[in-house]
């Protein structure tokens, strides 16, 4: 109960605080201090000299962007003195004598200039091979950095323990691109891999061969290398229209002519109607449709950071995965009918004309932000409403427990009287059964009456303690319930307080929940009892009233119509006019400390509002209080069906009944009753024994009569087990708490007739007889909330 009080008292405060905090967070501008490359690395290589060796003199776009970016980062940003050296190594590839003369010339030149370097960087396969061969001869005691060497050189350098290597992402780019091509071209029949005949070209061709060797492709792979540009385009025009071209590099043809890959790409795109894929970003926009490409700027940034780490002697790990991405030319995609939706996620597009909505992107962002804010507020409001509903339910249950505790002494008193009556009459009957059968019969009749009284009391307690969320609103007649509430209140009240009731015989029906209505009446009777010190009276009056016009009451207004009025009148201390307006507030109470929580009337008011009614309070100090409950009458349904009158019962004709109950006394008495009624009985004190008995006598039993609460397996589980084994006879399930059946058997597909304990032999007889006749059994289902 303490947790319920805390939840309810903090509800309103926490709701407002949470909403305000979330709104502040949403509308506050978030920012982070991001330092640029220049700010982080400014002056870190001040006074250092770096030699940059490239293996070509005619720079393509990729190489030009790489060199320009690297020189800028090393010199302008880091403060190093950078000397670019562009050597015609591609032109002299394979001419070892010419390359040797070039190396000796460089040594003489640097010796004459008396130049020494802190770091020498070689870029791409030809230059890295040159540095690996002649580096120690040309630059003694100098650190080397190998950028994008060939796979063969990487293996050789690694064996020598060399770690200053920036690997090429080309294998990854080739791998991703060859898997992308059939995805974008579902009708693909062949892929034509085009390349030059230079050492670097052949290296890329070999990498592509290796990649396709590991790739299970249905397409035919064709390799064309070393053709002149004119012969190449002519050859490609002869290919199947369901073909694609993959162009890694094309730096030299078989006649020794030096070419630029970018020129080859442009010529193919102009003269050949086949989609061209690549692994280098500088070809996109110059004829290539795209692919998984490597970026020169990312390589340049990694080279600059690695150079800084080598010179300043701190560790650095080059990351290969950061230099490749999916990029495409939107115009080429449109040319070959490739949808943007088929591209990999996070692909970059060039030559892309943005749709009109991009012009209004900020307006759209603002509108979406407003909509998102409203949705968040609605979600918070919905959550707050749910939390409030949960808190109210918990408070109602807590208040019910509080009221039940108040009446516990009276309940105990009634039970003790019942037990005393049963014990005394049973003792007299036992002594008189032979000497005076008439006296014994009278005593046993008294025992039966005491059992009925105990059964009635138990049903009241179960009804009151039933969880509120399982209640179904239906048409009910409140007259009997009101009498029971008065009786329960009298049982727990001191002898000095007298309870009475005056209930109209033709009291109208209402739509509601018996449990909630009982909770309301018990609460009002309890408040009246507590308001009386010493002697006093509490009277409950229930009558029909008609409102001719809209009327205002303490708890709210009611429209004209027909209502039932339930008034609780006491002779207690009364309530002042100043306080009456506050009695429905949560936690407000006029009782002394530890005499009440102040939740009673607020919960009563909430329940009455759910029932579409209201409360009215009239009181004067020291003259008593009248609390009236007004609920709308219901005439839409017929009068509730009354319980069937007990008959003398029907006898059996030897039908075989399987009886199961774990209580030995109940099992023995039930077996005796069933035997006296004319049935053949097989009694089992455990569900497992019942299953065994059925297995031995398949389909011999005409009916199963079992308890619900049993060890290892409850009644509904036993029914399921027997049904699965072929048991098709009707079932009577007996229990002392039908609400447990509702909860346990909500999804049970097996039908049964429900019989509530304690039950008389007549009730047992009528129930079994109806079940054997095949009358509709009771189906237990979970009540609606």
């Amino acid at each position: 109960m303490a947790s319920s009080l805390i939840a309810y008292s903090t509800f309103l405060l926490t709701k407002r605080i949470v909403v305000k905090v979330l709104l502040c967070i949403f509308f506050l501008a978030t920012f982070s201090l991001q330092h640029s490359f220049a700010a982080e690395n400014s002056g870190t290589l001040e006074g250092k000299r770096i030699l940059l060796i490239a293996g070509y003199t005619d720079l393509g776009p990729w190489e030009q962007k790489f060199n320009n970016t690297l020189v800028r980062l090393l010199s302008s940003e880091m403060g190093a003195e950078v000397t670019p050296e562009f050597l015609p190594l591609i032109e002299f590839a394979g001419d070892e004598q010419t390359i040797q003369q070039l190396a000796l010339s460089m040594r003489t030149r640097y010796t004459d200039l008396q130049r020494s370097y802190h770091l020498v960087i070689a870029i791409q396969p030809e230059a890295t091979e040159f540095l690996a061969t002649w580096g120690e001869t040309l630059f003694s005691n100098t650190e080397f950095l190998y950028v994008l060497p060939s796979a063969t050189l990487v293996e050789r350098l690694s064996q020598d323990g060399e770690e200053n290597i920036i690997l090429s992402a080309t294998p990854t780019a080739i791998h991703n691109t060859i898997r992308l091509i059939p995805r974008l071209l579902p009708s693909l029949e062949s892929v034509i891999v085009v390349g030059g005949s230079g050492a670097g070209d052949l290296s890329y061709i070999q990498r592509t061969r290796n990649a396709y060797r590991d790739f299970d492709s249905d397409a035919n792979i064709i390799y064309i290398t070393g053709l002149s540009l004119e012969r190449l385009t002519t050859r490609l025009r002869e290919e199947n229209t369901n073909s694609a071209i993959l162009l890694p590099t094309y730096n030299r043809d078989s006649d020794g002519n030096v070419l630029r890959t970018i020129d080859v790409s442009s010529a193919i795109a102009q003269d050949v109607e086949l989609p061209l894929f690549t692994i280098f970003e500088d070809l996109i926009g110059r004829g290539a449709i795209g692919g998984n490409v490597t970026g020169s700027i990312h390589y340049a940034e990694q080279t600059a950071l690695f150079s800084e780490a080598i010179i300043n002697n701190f560790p650095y790990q080059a990351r290969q995965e950061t230099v490749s991405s999916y990029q495409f030319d939107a115009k080429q995609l449109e040319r070959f009918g490739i949808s943007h939706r088929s591209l990999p996620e996070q692909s970059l597009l060039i030559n892309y004309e943005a749709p009109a909505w991009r012009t209004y992107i900020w307006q759209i962002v603002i509108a979406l932000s407003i909509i998102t804010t409203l949705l968040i507020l609605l979600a918070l409001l919905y959550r707050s409403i749910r939390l409030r509903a949960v808190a109210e339910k918990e408070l109602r249950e807590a208040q019910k427990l509080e009221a039940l505790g108040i009446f516990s002494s009276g309940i105990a008193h009634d039970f003790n009287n019942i037990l005393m009556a049963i014990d005394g009459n049973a003792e007299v009957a036992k002594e008189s059964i032979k000497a005076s059968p008439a006296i014994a019969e009278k005593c046993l009749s008294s025992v039966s009456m005491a059992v009925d009284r105990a059964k009635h009391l138990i049903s009241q307690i179960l009804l009151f303690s039933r969880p509120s969320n399982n209640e179904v609103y239906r048409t009910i007649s409140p007259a009997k319930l009101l009498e029971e509430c008065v009786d329960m209140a009298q049982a727990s009240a001191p002898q000095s307080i007298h309870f009475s009731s005056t209930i109209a015989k033709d009291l109208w029906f209402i739509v509601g929940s018996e449990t909630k209505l009982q909770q309301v009446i018990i609460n009002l009777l309890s408040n009246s009892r507590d308001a009386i010190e010493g002697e006093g009276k509490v009277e409950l009056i229930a009558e029909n009233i008609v409102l001719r016009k809209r009327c205002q009451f303490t708890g709210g207004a009611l429209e004209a119509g027909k209502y039932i009025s339930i008034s609780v009148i006491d002779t207690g201390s009364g309530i002042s006019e100043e306080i009456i307006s506050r009695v429905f507030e949560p936690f407000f109470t006029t009782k002394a400390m530890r005499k009440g929580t102040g939740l009673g009337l607020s919960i009563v008011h909430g329940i009455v509002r759910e029932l579409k009614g209201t409360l009215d309070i009239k009181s004067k100090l020291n003259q008593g209080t009248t609390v009236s409950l007004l609920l709308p009458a219901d005439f839409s349904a017929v009068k509730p069906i009354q319980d069937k009158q007990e008959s003398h019962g029907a006898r059996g004709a030897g039908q075989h009944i399987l009886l199961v109950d774990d209580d030995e006394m109940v099992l023995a008495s039930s077996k005796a009753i069933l035997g006296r009624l004319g049935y053949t009985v097989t009694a089992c004190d455990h569900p497992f024994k019942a299953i065994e008995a059925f297995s031995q006598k398949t389909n011999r039993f005409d009916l199963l009569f079992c308890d619900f609460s049993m060890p290892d397996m409850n009644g509904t589980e036993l029914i399921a087990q027997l049904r699965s084994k072929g048991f098709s006879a009707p079932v009577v399930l007996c229990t002392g708490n039908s609400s447990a059946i509702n909860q346990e058997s909500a999804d049970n597909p097996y039908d049964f007739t429900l019989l509530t304990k304690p039950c008389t032999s007549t009730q047992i007889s009528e129930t079994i007889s109806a079940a054997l006749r095949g009358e509709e059994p009771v189906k237990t289902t979970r009540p609606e909330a």
Side-chain angles (χ1 to χ4, degrees):
M1 182 173 178
S3 62
S4 299
L5 299 180
I6 294 172
Y8 193 83
S9 62
T10 58
F11 169 73
L12 295 176
L13 178 62
T14 55
K15 180 174 71 173
R16 293 189 180 96
I17 292 176
V18 168
V19 172
K20 290 182 179 179
V21 169
L22 290 176
L23 284 176
C24 290
I25 293 174
F26 183 81
F27 288 110
L28 282 177
T30 58
F31 66 93
S32 61
L33 298 177
Q34 300 180 344
H35 299 285
S36 67
F37 187 98
E40 292 178 349
N41 300 278
S42 178
T44 56
L45 297 180
E46 193 73 39
K48 306 298 183 181
R49 290 185 298 276
I50 299 176
L51 177 63
L52 182 62
I53 299 177
Y56 34 73
T57 56
D58 185 14
L59 301 182
W62 196 98
E63 293 83 2
Q64 189 173 30
K65 187 185 298 184
F66 175 86
N67 283 279
N68 291 344
T69 303
L70 180 58
V71 171
R72 177 179 58 81
L73 294 175
L74 292 174
S75 58
S76 301
E77 309 295 355
M78 296 182 172
E81 180 184 341
V82 181
T83 303
E85 188 75 65
F86 300 99
L87 304 177
L89 298 176
I90 293 180
E91 290 85 341
F92 300 140
D95 190 347
E96 298 297 335
Q97 184 176 359
T98 302
I99 293 177
Q100 180 179 3
Q101 292 175 357
L102 181 62
L104 295 176
S105 174
M106 286 182 60
R107 183 175 63 177
T108 302
R109 180 156 47 92
Y110 288 130
T111 302
D112 293 342
L113 293 174
Q114 297 182 348
R115 298 287 286 177
S116 61
Y117 294 94
H118 297 89
L119 176 66
V120 178
I121 304 173
I123 302 165
Q124 292 197 322
E126 290 79 6
T128 53
E129 185 71 37
F130 177 81
L131 182 62
T133 304
W134 296 97
E136 294 298 332
T137 303
L138 296 175
F139 315 102
S140 59
N141 300 322
T142 302
E143 293 286 348
F144 301 150
L145 175 58
Y146 301 89
V147 181
L148 312 182
S150 65
T152 305
L153 180 57
V154 170
E155 183 178 356
R156 195 170 81 217
L157 292 174
S158 299
Q159 291 175 353
D160 294 338
E162 178 61 60
E163 296 181 351
N164 295 347
I165 303 172
I166 294 182
L167 297 174
S168 171
T170 301
T172 301
I174 294 174
H175 177 91
N176 292 336
T177 301
I178 66 175
R179 281 156 177 76
L180 174 69
I181 295 173
R183 172 179 167 184
L184 300 185
L185 304 172
S187 302
L188 181 70
E189 295 181 6
S190 60
V191 177
I192 307 160
V193 182
V194 174
S197 59
D201 300 330
L202 296 177
S203 174
Y204 282 112
I205 292 292
Q206 186 58 47
R207 293 177 185 178
T208 305
R209 287 182 184 274
N210 295 338
Y212 266 114
R213 190 176 296 118
D214 298 332
F215 177 56
D216 185 14
S217 174
D218 294 332
N220 183 29
I221 313 302
I222 303 170
Y223 295 91
I224 300 176
T225 59
L227 296 182
S228 65
L229 189 55
E230 182 179 355
R231 291 174 57 199
L232 176 63
T233 55
T234 301
R235 171 73 173 79
L236 291 175
R237 283 196 297 269
E238 298 172 353
E239 288 297 327
N240 191 312
T241 55
N242 289 332
S243 300
I245 302 170
L246 175 60
L247 174 62
T249 63
Y250 213 115
N251 295 321
R252 182 189 296 273
D253 63 18
S254 56
D255 297 329
N257 298 315
V258 176
L259 302 173
R260 295 197 311 170
T261 309
I262 188 172
D263 297 329
V264 177
S265 173
S266 300
I268 293 174
Q270 182 177 353
D271 297 337
V272 181
E273 284 298 321
L274 295 177
L276 173 65
F277 292 85
T278 183
I279 57 172
F280 295 108
E281 66 178 6
D282 60 306
L283 301 187
I284 302 175
R286 293 174 174 85
I289 199 170
N292 187 243
V293 299
T294 58
S296 56
I297 293 178
H298 296 303
Y299 273 124
E301 290 176 348
Q302 284 206 9
T303 303
L305 292 173
F306 209 158
S307 302
E308 178 190 31
I310 293 172
I311 293 175
N312 292 324
N313 195 27
F314 59 79
Y316 177 79
Q317 180 66 43
R319 293 178 298 160
Q320 180 180 358
E321 70 275 6
T322 62
V323 295
S324 67
S325 61
Y326 287 100
Q327 296 185 30
F328 300 92
D329 185 341
K331 290 185 178 179
Q332 292 293 328
L333 291 173
E334 183 180 358
R335 174 186 176 186
F336 294 103
I338 299 176
S339 171
H340 295 181
R341 295 181 180 179
S342 61
L343 301 179
E345 293 184 2
Q346 299 180 344
S347 295
L348 301 177
L349 291 178
I350 68 168
N351 294 330
Y352 177 64
E353 296 181 2
W357 62 265
R358 286 185 177 270
T359 307
Y360 306 98
I361 184 64
W362 288 110
Q363 293 89 330
I364 294 174
V365 169
I366 293 172
L368 289 176
S369 299
I370 294 174
I371 293 172
T372 302
T373 303
L374 292 176
L375 290 176
I376 291 174
L377 291 175
L378 288 174
L380 291 173
L381 179 61
Y382 174 72
R383 184 172 181 273
S384 299
I385 292 172
R386 288 191 61 188
L387 288 175
R388 181 172 182 174
V390 171
E392 287 180 349
K393 282 185 179 180
E394 291 179 351
L395 287 171
R396 288 179 184 178
E397 298 304 322
Q399 197 270 342
K400 284 168 62 176
L401 292 176
E402 180 183 16
L404 191 60
I406 293 173
F407 291 116
S408 60
S409 60
I411 293 170
H413 176 76
D414 274 8
F415 252 110
N416 284 331
N417 287 341
I418 292 170
L419 292 175
M420 186 172 179
I422 292 173
D423 186 57
N425 281 287
E427 186 70 25
V428 172
K430 185 170 64 175
E431 294 177 354
S432 306
I433 195 167
K434 293 182 179 180
S436 180
I439 296 176
E441 182 179 358
K442 183 178 180 181
C443 290
L444 291 176
S445 296
S446 298
V447 168
S448 180
M449 292 175 60
V451 169
D452 286 339
R453 184 179 172 191
K455 179 180 177 181
H456 178 69
L457 186 59
I458 289 295
S459 66
Q460 285 183 302
I461 297 172
L462 290 176
L463 178 63
F464 186 72
S465 61
R466 183 183 302 162
S468 300
N469 59 348
N470 281 345
E471 289 302 311
V472 179
Y473 280 15
R474 58 187 180 87
T475 300
I476 59 175
S477 174
K480 184 177 180 181
L481 184 144
L482 296 176
E483 293 177 355
E484 292 174 349
C485 290
V486 173
D487 292 342
M488 187 180 292
Q490 182 66 74
S492 63
Q495 295 293 330
S496 58
I497 300 177
H498 176 69
F499 283 79
S500 62
S501 63
T502 303
I503 301 174
K505 293 183 179 180
D506 57 346
L507 192 65
W508 292 329
F509 303 106
I510 63 170
V511 173
S513 157
E514 291 184 349
T515 301
K516 289 183 177 179
L517 180 61
Q518 185 185 50
Q519 184 178 358
V520 168
I521 302 303
I522 288 293
N523 193 291
L524 296 180
L525 293 172
S526 176
N527 286 345
S528 295
R529 184 200 62 188
D530 293 341
I532 298 174
E533 296 182 2
E535 295 184 359
K537 296 180 180 180
V538 178
E539 183 179 7
L540 184 146
I541 299 176
E543 57 187 346
N544 303 322
I545 64 170
V546 179
L547 299 181
R548 302 298 180 185
K549 62 180 180 178
R550 189 174 189 271
C551 298
Q552 183 67 39
F553 299 97
T554 309
L558 287 180
E559 300 297 331
K562 296 182 178 181
Y563 298 85
I564 68 166
S565 171
I566 304 172
S567 299
V568 177
I569 307 168
D570 65 65
T571 58
S573 57
I575 307 173
S576 65
E577 293 183 3
E578 295 81 8
I579 294 178
I580 286 180
S581 61
R582 299 187 59 194
V583 294
F584 298 134
E585 295 179 10
F587 307 109
F588 177 80
T589 180
T590 59
K591 298 179 183 179
M593 185 67 69
R594 298 181 182 177
K595 293 293 185 179
T597 62
L599 292 172
L601 279 180
S602 65
I603 292 177
V604 165
H605 186 237
I607 295 175
V608 171
R609 288 178 61 185
E610 287 184 14
L611 299 175
K612 311 300 183 184
T614 192
L615 288 170
D616 191 47
I617 301 178
K618 292 181 173 59
S619 181
K620 290 185 179 180
L621 285 176
N622 302 319
Q623 295 185 22
T625 302
T626 299
V627 180
S628 298
L629 168 64
L630 292 95
L631 298 174
D634 178 56
F635 301 98
S636 61
V638 297
K639 187 174 181 179
I641 299 174
Q642 301 296 324
D643 293 338
K644 294 180 180 180
Q645 296 295 324
E646 287 190 3
S647 65
H648 293 291
R651 295 185 58 81
Q655 293 94 333
H656 197 170
I657 295 178
L658 178 59
L659 175 65
V660 189
D661 199 305
D662 62 305
D663 189 296
E664 293 183 2
M665 293 178 61
V666 174
L667 185 66
S669 62
S670 298
K671 183 178 180 180
I673 291 173
L674 293 174
R676 186 169 56 85
L677 291 173
Y679 296 105
T680 302
V681 181
T682 296
C684 301
D685 60 2
H686 195 280
F688 292 160
K689 293 183 179 180
I691 295 173
E692 181 180 356
F694 174 72
S695 300
Q696 294 173 355
K697 303 176 181 180
T698 305
N699 294 327
R700 262 197 73 190
F701 296 109
D702 300 300
L703 182 136
L704 170 66
F705 189 98
C706 68
D707 188 26
F708 173 73
S709 298
M710 295 183 291
D712 300 323
M713 181 185 300
N714 64 35
T716 56
E717 292 171 342
L718 174 61
I719 296 170
Q721 286 286 331
L722 291 175
R723 294 291 195 210
S724 67
K725 295 179 181 297
F727 185 84
S728 58
V731 177
V732 174
L733 185 65
C734 199
T735 181
N737 183 6
S738 59
S739 63
I741 303 291
N742 290 335
Q743 297 168 7
E744 292 286 342
S745 308
D747 301 321
N748 194 323
Y750 302 110
D751 299 336
F752 50 80
T753 300
L754 184 64
L755 186 61
T756 304
K757 293 180 180 180
C759 44
T760 64
S761 59
T762 302
Q763 291 173 323
I764 293 174
S765 173
E766 290 291 339
T767 302
I768 292 178
S769 178
L772 289 173
R773 288 195 304 269
E775 294 182 1
E776 186 69 20
V778 175
K779 296 183 180 180
T780 61
T781 56
R782 190 182 304 277
E784 298 177 0

